[in-house]
Amino acid sequence: MRFDVSKGAQYSTLSPALAVGDSEPDRNLALELVRVTEAAAIAGGHWVGFGDKNAADGAAVDAMRSLISTVHFNGVVVIGEGEKDEAPMLYNGEHVGDGTGALCDVAVDPIDGTRLTALGINNALAVLAVAERGTMFDPSAVFYMEKLVTGPEAADMVDLRLPVKQNLHLIAKAKGKKINQLNVMVLERDRHKPLVQEIRDAGARTRMLMDGDVAGGIAAAREGTDVDALMGIGGTPEGIITACAVKTLGGVIQGRLWPTSDDEKQKAIDAGHDLDRVMSTNDLVWSDNCYFAATGITDGDLLRGVRYKKDRVLTQSIVMRSKSGTIRVVDGEHQAHKWESYARTN
């Protein structure tokens, strides 16, 4: 059985000028967001291992759109799936939520790791992040950034401008480890071959990610994951989403824009970006009241993936709120026939 949650989907087209209320997001928003990522994970999870990443992404997008329309806030998608004409669903600038309550910036990734989902590989997530309106960094169409993520122990010691070996020694010292005990997440890309060699030459170990560095970045900042850092070039949107989680976890994400063409570089310069600038967590998201929610699609370093039983669907999610520093891991058990009916109408 595949869940079709697209029927009856609605979303707000309310303009900011017509917004009802402008209070800051409250604590109840956190658990509303988990409902949204659960829906996306359940819908996309039915396509795990079927080799069709577009079908998986489409199902997750439809589910996320359907459920996010019920959330009590007036959101604008700042980090989405492209411009309106290029991405028919959850595009940059789209208004989401029920149009009432707090004015918010929204970052969405219905599936962080569509290829992971299609191939049944670890670390695919449904992800959603929210912050107060106007507080998420606008990358101005620069799609990649160089990143460094680590946990609270070394947050004030590392610097993206330092040599890789020096940063690794600083992380090892802060964590009270030998450098050969460090695990460093890196996206498996040709561009990272020199980086991987530097990490190994320094004496640390690498853990390669096929795709989806949100899970890797959060694992690097979260205690108890056996991941000590994430390094390398990945998506700028994913970096901003990760920053929302790091605001709660207390680690650090540092990033430097990495244009892939002269045209992209010029757009960044025209938008006023300093391409040599190293941005930190508060530069990527400067609100002190932001939220992060994710639900596992496949098993991974952060969460278990969706499990489908005869009459039940099991999910595992994580939700964070930076203002209170609260992290919740939510194990969901959903009755399959009721969930399908509920998702279609909510």
Side-chain angles (χ1 to χ4, degrees):
M1 177 180 64
R2 302 191 192 281
F3 292 164
D4 177 5
V5 295
S6 63
K7 297 180 180 179
Q10 297 178 347
Y11 61 99
S12 172
T13 56
L14 200 65
S15 71
L18 299 177
V20 179
D22 59 358
S23 59
E24 68 176 25
D26 67 24
R27 62 186 180 182
N28 295 320
L29 179 60
L31 294 180
E32 286 198 71
L33 298 178
V34 170
R35 292 169 49 240
V36 178
T37 58
E38 283 176 341
I42 290 171
H46 276 286
W47 292 93
V48 169
F50 279 92
D52 191 338
K53 66 178 185 179
N54 292 330
D57 191 45
V61 168
D62 287 347
M64 184 169 279
R65 163 168 279 169
S66 178
L67 268 291
I68 203 171
S69 69
T70 70
V71 176
H72 180 64
F73 73 152
N74 188 331
V76 174
V77 176
V78 176
I79 304 297
E81 301 193 312
E83 302 305 318
K84 181 175 181 179
D85 293 337
E86 299 170 3
M89 299 179 182
L90 294 169
Y91 54 84
N92 295 345
E94 180 174 345
H95 289 265
V96 293
D98 68 1
T100 66
L103 305 177
C104 298
D105 286 349
V106 181
V108 299
D109 200 344
I111 299 182
D112 181 48
T114 53
R115 187 165 57 144
L116 303 179
T117 301
L119 298 177
I121 295 173
N122 286 1
N123 285 316
L125 300 172
V127 177
L128 179 61
V130 172
E132 293 168 294
R133 179 69 56 84
T135 61
M136 285 187 183
F137 174 70
D138 179 1
S140 302
V142 180
F143 297 106
Y144 290 93
M145 70 185 336
E146 184 183 1
K147 303 175 192 176
L148 169 60
V149 186
T150 192
E153 304 93 336
D156 295 328
M157 301 174 68
V158 296
D159 190 321
L160 191 58
R161 293 164 291 196
L162 295 175
V164 169
K165 183 176 181 179
Q166 188 172 347
N167 275 322
L168 291 174
H169 277 285
L170 290 169
I171 293 169
K173 181 179 179 180
K175 292 195 166 198
K177 291 184 173 184
K178 296 179 180 179
I179 197 165
N180 63 7
Q181 295 174 318
L182 295 183
N183 290 307
V184 183
M185 286 279 200
V186 182
L187 278 171
E188 190 175 356
R189 300 289 187 270
D190 286 343
R191 64 177 177 262
H192 287 150
K193 287 180 180 178
L195 171 63
V196 169
Q197 193 60 53
E198 283 188 79
I199 293 169
R200 292 172 178 169
D201 287 346
R205 296 180 289 186
T206 55
R207 292 181 60 176
M208 307 307 294
L209 286 165
M210 177 183 284
D211 287 311
D213 65 356
V214 171
I218 295 169
R222 184 157 163 74
E223 187 177 353
T225 62
D226 199 33
V227 177
D228 300 289
L230 176 136
M231 293 182 170
I233 296 160
T236 305
E238 288 83 355
I240 296 166
I241 291 171
T242 301
C244 288
V246 170
K247 295 280 284 192
T248 301
L249 293 168
V252 68
I253 175 171
Q254 295 182 1
R256 180 164 47 196
L257 293 177
W258 195 76
T260 58
S261 67
D262 290 339
D263 181 59
E264 198 173 290
K265 181 177 180 179
Q266 190 58 52
K267 286 181 180 178
I269 293 171
D270 292 344
H273 293 307
D274 179 356
L275 298 179
D276 294 321
R277 180 190 178 201
V278 174
M279 295 173 286
S280 194
T281 311
N282 289 332
D283 298 311
L284 296 173
V285 182
W286 48 94
S287 170
D288 289 324
N289 189 23
C290 56
Y291 300 77
F292 172 90
T295 301
I297 298 174
T298 58
D299 289 344
D301 295 280
L302 193 64
L303 297 165
R304 291 197 310 269
V306 182
R307 284 162 167 74
Y308 302 91
K309 307 296 183 181
K310 180 179 179 181
D311 59 349
R312 293 170 300 142
V313 182
L314 307 181
T315 58
Q316 187 173 64
S317 306
I318 189 168
V319 59
M320 310 180 197
R321 184 189 182 209
S322 65
K323 189 172 185 178
S324 62
T326 302
I327 302 171
R328 290 185 174 92
V329 176
V330 180
D331 288 307
E333 183 173 315
H334 317 272
Q335 292 190 36
H337 68 284
K338 289 185 177 181
W339 178 263
E340 179 180 10
S341 175
Y342 170 77
R344 284 179 175 174
T345 57
N346 292 277

